[in-house]
Amino acid sequence: MNVEISIDAAGPIAPDLCPVRPLLDRMADKWSLLVIARLAEAPGSRLRFSKLMRAVGGVSQRMLTTTLRNLERDGLVIREVFAEVPPRVEYELTERGKSFLIPVRTLIGWLEANWPDIQRSRELYDKNE
């Protein structure tokens, strides 16, 4: 399936006309990038649920579960359950998840390079409000 996406569209793009919009929404949500980043930093890009929850910080158990399920559904994360007492569950980035780090690192680089100017813009805006 070949999906053509244009950021030069004249006007809003209806969700039904842009099949990747739900994925863009997910990647821009509050937790997905943080979960992916924490898994990327982990040894073997793999963490137990409880360690991941601590590493992300501030996320509820329910929201982390939902985020991980969505990332697993999209093929960015795999979940492995170990038959132990108590059960142990670990999450790991897939090759697709690791490849997603390439544009994320580019975005982070842009943010870091532009952060001082963004801060100045915010200060100017706030003074004028």
Side-chain angles (χ1 to χ4, degrees), residues 48 82-89:
R48 289 181 72 162
F82 296 87
E84 300 173 353
V85 177
R88 177 170 51 114
V89 179

PDB file of all heavy atoms in Angstrom, residues 48 82-89:
ATOM      1  N   ARG A  48      11.102  -4.210  31.871  1.00  0.00           N
ATOM      2  CA  ARG A  48       9.914  -4.743  32.536  1.00  0.00           C
ATOM      3  C   ARG A  48       8.923  -3.597  32.691  1.00  0.00           C
ATOM      4  O   ARG A  48       9.293  -2.422  32.734  1.00  0.00           O
ATOM      5  CB  ARG A  48      10.269  -5.287  33.915  1.00  0.00           C
ATOM      6  CG  ARG A  48      11.080  -6.559  33.851  1.00  0.00           C
ATOM      7  CD  ARG A  48      11.395  -7.063  35.212  1.00  0.00           C
ATOM      8  NE  ARG A  48      10.174  -7.615  35.818  1.00  0.00           N
ATOM      9  CZ  ARG A  48      10.178  -8.431  36.840  1.00  0.00           C
ATOM     10  NH1 ARG A  48      11.312  -8.788  37.413  1.00  0.00           N
ATOM     11  NH2 ARG A  48       9.048  -8.889  37.340  1.00  0.00           N
ATOM     12  N   PHE A  82       6.437 -13.879  30.739  1.00  0.00           N
ATOM     13  CA  PHE A  82       7.175 -15.025  31.254  1.00  0.00           C
ATOM     14  C   PHE A  82       6.296 -15.756  32.261  1.00  0.00           C
ATOM     15  O   PHE A  82       5.714 -15.120  33.156  1.00  0.00           O
ATOM     16  CB  PHE A  82       8.477 -14.567  31.913  1.00  0.00           C
ATOM     17  CG  PHE A  82       9.428 -13.927  30.946  1.00  0.00           C
ATOM     18  CD1 PHE A  82       9.349 -12.562  30.676  1.00  0.00           C
ATOM     19  CD2 PHE A  82      10.390 -14.677  30.291  1.00  0.00           C
ATOM     20  CE1 PHE A  82      10.226 -11.963  29.777  1.00  0.00           C
ATOM     21  CE2 PHE A  82      11.260 -14.089  29.392  1.00  0.00           C
ATOM     22  CZ  PHE A  82      11.181 -12.733  29.127  1.00  0.00           C
ATOM     23  N   ALA A  83       6.206 -17.058  32.124  1.00  0.00           N
ATOM     24  CA  ALA A  83       5.368 -17.884  33.005  1.00  0.00           C
ATOM     25  C   ALA A  83       6.090 -18.092  34.339  1.00  0.00           C
ATOM     26  O   ALA A  83       6.715 -19.121  34.584  1.00  0.00           O
ATOM     27  CB  ALA A  83       5.059 -19.214  32.341  1.00  0.00           C
ATOM     28  N   GLU A  84       6.037 -17.075  35.160  1.00  0.00           N
ATOM     29  CA  GLU A  84       6.656 -17.099  36.485  1.00  0.00           C
ATOM     30  C   GLU A  84       5.614 -16.669  37.493  1.00  0.00           C
ATOM     31  O   GLU A  84       4.563 -16.154  37.137  1.00  0.00           O
ATOM     32  CB  GLU A  84       7.836 -16.120  36.545  1.00  0.00           C
ATOM     33  CG  GLU A  84       8.937 -16.401  35.553  1.00  0.00           C
ATOM     34  CD  GLU A  84       9.997 -15.318  35.528  1.00  0.00           C
ATOM     35  OE1 GLU A  84       9.833 -14.263  36.187  1.00  0.00           O
ATOM     36  OE2 GLU A  84      11.012 -15.506  34.838  1.00  0.00           O
ATOM     37  N   VAL A  85       5.925 -16.868  38.750  1.00  0.00           N
ATOM     38  CA  VAL A  85       5.048 -16.383  39.812  1.00  0.00           C
ATOM     39  C   VAL A  85       5.852 -15.397  40.643  1.00  0.00           C
ATOM     40  O   VAL A  85       6.864 -15.780  41.225  1.00  0.00           O
ATOM     41  CB  VAL A  85       4.534 -17.546  40.689  1.00  0.00           C
ATOM     42  CG1 VAL A  85       3.688 -17.019  41.832  1.00  0.00           C
ATOM     43  CG2 VAL A  85       3.759 -18.545  39.849  1.00  0.00           C
ATOM     44  N   PRO A  86       5.476 -14.126  40.678  1.00  0.00           N
ATOM     45  CA  PRO A  86       4.422 -13.499  39.875  1.00  0.00           C
ATOM     46  C   PRO A  86       4.855 -13.394  38.417  1.00  0.00           C
ATOM     47  O   PRO A  86       6.042 -13.423  38.106  1.00  0.00           O
ATOM     48  CB  PRO A  86       4.275 -12.117  40.517  1.00  0.00           C
ATOM     49  CG  PRO A  86       5.603 -11.825  41.123  1.00  0.00           C
ATOM     50  CD  PRO A  86       6.177 -13.157  41.539  1.00  0.00           C
ATOM     51  N   PRO A  87       3.865 -13.251  37.519  1.00  0.00           N
ATOM     52  CA  PRO A  87       4.200 -13.160  36.090  1.00  0.00           C
ATOM     53  C   PRO A  87       5.091 -11.949  35.803  1.00  0.00           C
ATOM     54  O   PRO A  87       4.933 -10.893  36.423  1.00  0.00           O
ATOM     55  CB  PRO A  87       2.847 -12.995  35.405  1.00  0.00           C
ATOM     56  CG  PRO A  87       1.829 -13.319  36.415  1.00  0.00           C
ATOM     57  CD  PRO A  87       2.455 -13.178  37.764  1.00  0.00           C
ATOM     58  N   ARG A  88       6.009 -12.133  34.906  1.00  0.00           N
ATOM     59  CA  ARG A  88       6.907 -11.050  34.504  1.00  0.00           C
ATOM     60  C   ARG A  88       6.576 -10.693  33.063  1.00  0.00           C
ATOM     61  O   ARG A  88       6.442 -11.569  32.204  1.00  0.00           O
ATOM     62  CB  ARG A  88       8.360 -11.515  34.613  1.00  0.00           C
ATOM     63  CG  ARG A  88       9.362 -10.487  34.154  1.00  0.00           C
ATOM     64  CD  ARG A  88      10.789 -10.889  34.512  1.00  0.00           C
ATOM     65  NE  ARG A  88      11.144 -12.228  34.114  1.00  0.00           N
ATOM     66  CZ  ARG A  88      12.064 -12.536  33.191  1.00  0.00           C
ATOM     67  NH1 ARG A  88      12.717 -11.580  32.565  1.00  0.00           N
ATOM     68  NH2 ARG A  88      12.335 -13.787  32.896  1.00  0.00           N
ATOM     69  N   VAL A  89       6.438  -9.391  32.794  1.00  0.00           N
ATOM     70  CA  VAL A  89       6.146  -8.911  31.448  1.00  0.00           C
ATOM     71  C   VAL A  89       7.227  -7.906  31.065  1.00  0.00           C
ATOM     72  O   VAL A  89       7.544  -7.000  31.832  1.00  0.00           O
ATOM     73  CB  VAL A  89       4.748  -8.235  31.374  1.00  0.00           C
ATOM     74  CG1 VAL A  89       4.465  -7.730  29.969  1.00  0.00           C
ATOM     75  CG2 VAL A  89       3.665  -9.195  31.831  1.00  0.00           C
TER      76      VAL A  89
END
